[in-house]
């Protein structure tokens, strides 16, 4: 069978030229009238509510429980640091508050104790309850359901039960903490379909050159939700009681579901009020993907026996232990060790996610710059970025583990820096799934995120078990565990990962595209460039276009993917 070799960048240039005349027509539509931008903003808000519902218990539990209900145990820290200058007593008589007195934003103490006598182990189980449902496997199903029935309905069906569960949470708590645990598990199950539905939605709405921008905007709503969840819930908890965050957030999420169903549609052709110019521009740019509902058989055996896949998944899991530990336990740490009240606790707990949102875009731009300019191969960029995203937070956690409570703002800065520099992982193992799986990247992302959600169950329980008395030594042990996992995950990714699309990454039944590693270009730089092998076999043009665009359209990190390797 004769074959012709076509460089991917040549295909991109040809396609860009073909689209140029269509993009000129779209220029006549002002940006504020473009329906896809309004939908992007609406999804941003929806994903923010999704993460607020996920994270609200982390701060609300601080004002739900009685913090003086631990057994009468005295713990004295004498490890050579400033902690040894303070005697901690839980339910006892020895307490030196000269250094570790309660703090608030205004400088006055406003301690607030809750009504529930829950052990630290039970608190850990409740905090991890959401992730029991989130890791149930529905993330893989969510992508399939979105492709089969449309992402509009799946997104609404995922959010609405979670919103109702949020509203009913105070009632469930008063009946039984285990009924509340069941509500959190169901919430995790229903919302697990949301992230896999985002790429499916934008595959029908986003022109190729706007793919990264629109999907990144949607996903940024999730991080924005983390940033606002803590201060908003902290204020609502302080001035309205611990029930108020559940009522307000749940009610607003219900309103969002109604607006989403009324305003959105699965494709431009179904959208009322869209301009003809915008509709034609989108449909011409993305071609048959708007109409296509073809699904390709997932090569599970090849995927699960792939070394780069497991390097990616393992790194994802170890990094998430750190991330979910901070997400669920930072407010408790700020309360027990740094002695912040509920209002300042909520404010300072949000700062790490503000820093993360700020750093994600420039880090992604740096990753693209290093790749396109040829300073590093794509695999090299992925490994460097992932290493930075796991080792830098580990260093900050070590500093936090040995921080005296007399430096509370330094502690807040260390947490913010640790979470903020996690942004490097977005250009590491997270986007690496698109590099190696191409057209099966959505399935791999769902599989990986399912396993990587398990640390959300394990981390809160382990921290709760270790920090029964809430002493600095106990918290130090918890931080050490996260540091070790980050280091191990980073090393595994460096030695076993790759950014080259795997042989199973393209649909075998079409037999049209195969990646054969690298082929050297005949220039003085000898730059390595991915070559597509396109068979002369009679294949519909729409299928060829879908395969050629597959990698670029799946990835939400980079608008140009060339599979360089070290």
């Amino acid at each position: 069978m004769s074959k012709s070799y076509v460089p991917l960048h040549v295909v991109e240039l040809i396609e860009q030229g073909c689209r140029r005349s269509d993009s000129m027509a779209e220029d006549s539509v002002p940006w504020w009238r473009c329906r896809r931008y309004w939908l992007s903003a609406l999804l941003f808000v929806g994903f923010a509510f999704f993460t607020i519902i996920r994270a609200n218990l982390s701060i609300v539990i601080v004002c739900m429980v009685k913090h003086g209900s631990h057994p009468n145990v005295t713990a004295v820290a004498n490890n050579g640091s400033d902690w040894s200058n303070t005697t901690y007593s839980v339910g006892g008589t020895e307490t030196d508050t000269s250094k570790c007195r309660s703090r608030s934003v205004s400088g006055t103490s406003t301690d607030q104790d809750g009504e529930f006598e829950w052990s630290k182990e039970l608190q850990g189980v409740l905090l991890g309850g959401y992730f029991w449902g989130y890791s149930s496997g529905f993330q893989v199903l969510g992508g399939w359901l979105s492709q089969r029935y449309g992402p509009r309905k799946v997104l609404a069906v995922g959010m609405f039960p979670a919103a109702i569960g949020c509203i009913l949470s105070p009632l469930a708590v008063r009946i039984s903490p285990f009924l509340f645990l069941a509500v959190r598990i169901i919430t995790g199950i229903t919302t697990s379909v949301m992230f896999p539905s985002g790429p499916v939605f934008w595959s029908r709405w986003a022109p190729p050159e706007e793919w990264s921008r629109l999907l990144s905007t949607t996903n940024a709503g999730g991080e924005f939700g983390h940033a606002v969840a803590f201060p908003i819930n902290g204020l609502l908890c302080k001035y309205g009681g611990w029930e108020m965050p559940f009522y307000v957030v749940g009610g607003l999420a219900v309103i969002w579901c109604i607006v989403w169903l009324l305003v959105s549609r699965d494709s431009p052709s179904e959208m009322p009020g869209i301009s003809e110019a915008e509709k034609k521009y989108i449909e011409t740019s993305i071609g048959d993907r708007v109409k296509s509902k073809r699904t390709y058989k997932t090569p599970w055996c090849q995927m699960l026996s792939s070394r780069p896949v497991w390097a990616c998944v393992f790194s994802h899991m170890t990094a998430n232990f750190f991330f979910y530990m901070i997400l669920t336990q930072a407010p408790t740490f700020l309360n027990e060790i740094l002695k912040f009240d509920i209002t300042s606790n909520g404010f300072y707990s949000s700062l790490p996610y503000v820093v993360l949102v700020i750093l994600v875009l420039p880090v992604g731009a740096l990753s693209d710059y290093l790749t396109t300019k040829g300073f590093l191969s794509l695999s090299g960029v992925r490994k460097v970025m992932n290493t930075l995203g796991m080792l830098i937070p580990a260093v900050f956690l070590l500093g936090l583990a040995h921080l005296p409570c007399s430096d509370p703002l330094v502690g807040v800065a260390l947490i913010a820096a640790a979470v903020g520099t996690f942004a490097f992982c977005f250009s590491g193992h997270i986007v690496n799934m698109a590099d190696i799986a191409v057209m099966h990247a959505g399935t791999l992302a769902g599989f990986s995120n399912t396993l990587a959600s398990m640390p959300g169950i394990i981390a809160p329980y382990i921290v709760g078990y270790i920090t029964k008395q809430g002493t600095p030594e106990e918290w130090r042990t918890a931080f050490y565990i996260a540091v070790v996992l980050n280091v191990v995950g980073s090393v595994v990714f460096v030695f076993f990962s790759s950014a080259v699309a795997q042989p199973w990454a393209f649909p075998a039944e079409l037999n049209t595209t195969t990646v054969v590693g690298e082929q050297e270009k005949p220039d003085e730089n000898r730059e390595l460039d991915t070559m597509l092998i396109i068979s002369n076999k009679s294949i519909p043009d729409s299928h060829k276009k879908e395969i050629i665009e597959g990698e670029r359209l799946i990835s939400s990190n980079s608008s140009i993917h060339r599979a360089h390797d070290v």
Side-chain angles (χ1 to χ4, degrees):
M1 181 184 297
S2 61
K3 300 178 180 180
S4 58
Y5 293 79
V6 183
L8 181 57
H9 69 276
V10 173
V11 174
E12 290 176 336
L13 290 174
I14 294 173
E15 293 173 339
Q16 289 170 6
C18 293
R19 289 194 300 263
R20 189 164 299 160
S21 60
D22 298 300
S23 64
M24 295 299 293
E26 203 266 345
D27 290 341
S28 61
V29 182
W31 67 266
W32 61 86
R33 291 183 53 196
C34 291
R35 290 295 189 267
R36 64 188 184 278
Y37 297 148
W38 286 104
L39 291 174
S40 176
L42 188 57
L43 277 177
F44 178 94
V45 175
F47 274 58
F49 280 127
F50 154 49
T51 51
I52 291 173
I53 290 174
R54 178 170 72 177
N56 61 358
L57 185 60
S58 299
I59 183 68
V60 175
I61 199 170
V62 175
C63 57
M64 290 176 69
V65 301
K66 291 183 178 180
H67 298 287
S69 59
H70 300 293
N72 184 18
V73 178
T74 301
V76 181
N78 51 10
N79 51 13
S81 70
D82 287 349
W83 290 113
S84 60
N85 296 326
T86 303
T87 300
Y88 295 86
S89 176
V90 182
T93 58
E94 294 183 273
T95 304
D96 181 4
T97 59
S98 61
K99 287 188 176 183
C100 302
R101 60 184 180 276
S102 179
R103 302 178 178 89
S104 66
V105 174
S106 61
T108 61
S109 176
T110 55
D111 288 337
Q112 182 175 344
D113 214 14
E115 60 181 276
F116 300 104
E117 295 187 11
W118 291 342
S119 67
K120 290 297 287 290
E121 291 94 332
L122 178 57
Q123 293 178 48
V125 169
L126 292 174
L127 287 169
Y130 173 90
F131 297 97
W132 291 15
Y134 195 69
S135 61
S136 62
F138 276 77
Q139 295 183 64
V140 178
L141 182 62
W144 181 85
L145 289 173
S146 295
Q147 293 172 349
R148 182 68 177 81
Y149 298 104
R152 170 176 170 264
K153 294 178 182 178
V154 174
L155 285 164
V157 169
M159 176 64 80
F160 188 76
I164 297 300
C166 190
I167 295 172
L168 296 178
S169 289
L171 176 62
V173 169
R174 295 194 183 281
I175 294 175
S176 167
F178 297 103
L179 179 59
F180 179 50
L181 175 63
V183 171
R184 294 292 292 177
I185 293 173
I186 294 172
T187 299
I189 291 174
T190 62
T191 56
S192 67
V193 304
M194 293 196 64
F195 268 121
S197 300
V200 178
F201 181 82
W202 288 118
S203 71
R204 304 179 181 190
W205 268 96
E209 59 269 26
E210 295 182 10
W211 166 266
S212 294
R213 190 189 322 159
L214 291 172
L215 184 57
S216 296
T217 299
T218 298
N219 291 339
E223 302 309 327
F224 177 79
H226 285 141
V228 301
F230 294 103
I232 290 177
N233 285 327
L235 289 171
L236 290 173
C237 190
K238 178 178 180 180
Y239 295 106
W242 64 264
E243 304 96 336
M244 190 59 63
F246 294 107
Y247 294 144
V248 172
V249 174
L252 292 175
V254 168
I255 295 174
W256 181 87
C257 290
I258 296 172
V259 174
W260 171 252
L261 286 174
L262 291 175
V263 172
S264 69
R265 296 294 184 273
D266 282 325
S267 67
S269 62
E270 303 171 15
M271 188 73 177
I274 189 173
S275 67
E276 191 63 29
E278 182 185 8
K279 182 173 72 171
K280 181 180 179 182
Y281 168 64
I282 295 173
E283 292 181 343
T284 303
S285 297
I286 64 180
D288 290 339
R289 277 190 300 111
V290 174
K291 304 173 184 177
S292 174
K293 291 186 178 179
R294 289 190 302 275
T295 56
Y296 301 116
K297 184 178 179 181
T298 301
W300 285 109
C301 291
Q302 298 95 317
M303 184 183 295
L304 296 182
S305 60
S306 171
R307 183 189 67 182
V309 164
W310 285 109
C312 192
V313 171
F314 183 78
S315 183
H316 196 182
M317 294 178 66
T318 54
N320 270 14
F321 184 93
F322 149 74
F323 188 80
Y324 287 142
M325 185 184 78
I326 298 296
L327 177 67
T328 59
Q329 298 295 324
T332 302
F333 175 78
L334 293 178
N335 175 263
E336 291 183 347
I337 302 301
L338 301 186
K339 305 298 181 182
F340 285 109
D341 72 350
I342 189 63
T343 304
S344 53
N345 192 327
F347 172 75
Y348 288 126
S349 293
S350 72
L351 290 182
Y353 305 98
V354 173
V355 177
L356 178 60
V357 170
I358 292 173
L359 289 181
V360 163
L361 291 181
V363 167
L366 174 62
S367 173
D368 287 348
Y369 178 80
L370 293 174
T371 303
T372 56
K373 294 297 182 180
F375 292 111
L376 289 171
S377 67
L378 186 59
S379 288
V381 169
R382 297 288 180 255
K383 293 176 181 181
V384 168
M385 291 295 175
N386 200 70
T387 300
L388 294 175
M390 299 187 76
L391 294 189
I392 295 179
V395 172
F396 288 127
L397 279 185
L398 283 176
L400 187 65
H402 293 275
L403 181 76
C405 66
S406 56
D407 296 322
L409 295 182
V410 175
V412 171
L414 288 172
I415 296 175
V419 174
T421 51
F422 182 77
F424 286 98
C425 285
F426 281 71
S427 296
H429 67 264
I430 294 177
V431 75
N432 185 235
M433 300 174 200
D435 298 327
I436 62 178
V438 191
M439 297 196 69
H440 299 288
T443 301
L444 176 57
F447 172 75
S448 179
N449 211 31
T450 296
L451 295 181
S453 297
M454 293 180 181
I457 304 171
I458 300 170
Y461 183 80
I462 289 179
V463 174
Y465 181 81
I466 293 174
T467 63
K468 291 180 180 179
Q469 310 306 325
T471 64
E473 283 188 329
E474 291 173 340
W475 279 99
R476 187 173 298 120
T477 301
F479 289 141
Y480 284 163
I481 293 174
V483 168
V484 170
L485 288 175
N486 266 22
V487 173
V488 173
S490 174
V491 171
V492 168
F493 191 82
V494 167
F495 282 99
F496 298 106
S497 69
S498 171
V500 173
Q502 299 302 290
W504 44 264
F506 299 96
E509 58 266 33
L510 295 184
N511 192 30
T512 59
T513 309
T514 307
V515 172
V516 292
E518 265 92 28
Q519 177 153 340
E520 297 179 1
K521 291 169 59 179
D523 59 16
E524 65 274 12
N525 296 325
R526 301 180 64 82
E527 181 182 3
L528 298 180
D529 197 5
T530 297
M531 311 297 285
L532 298 181
I533 304 178
I534 303 180
S535 160
N536 286 335
K537 181 179 178 181
S538 178
I539 298 297
D541 290 340
S542 61
H543 286 223
K544 290 182 180 179
K545 181 179 179 65
E546 187 170 1
I547 298 300
I548 292 171
E549 290 185 348
E551 183 182 16
R552 179 182 58 210
L553 297 172
I554 289 295
S555 172
S556 62
N557 175 267
S558 176
S559 60
I560 298 176
H561 264 22
R562 296 193 179 99
H564 300 279
D565 196 9
V566 292

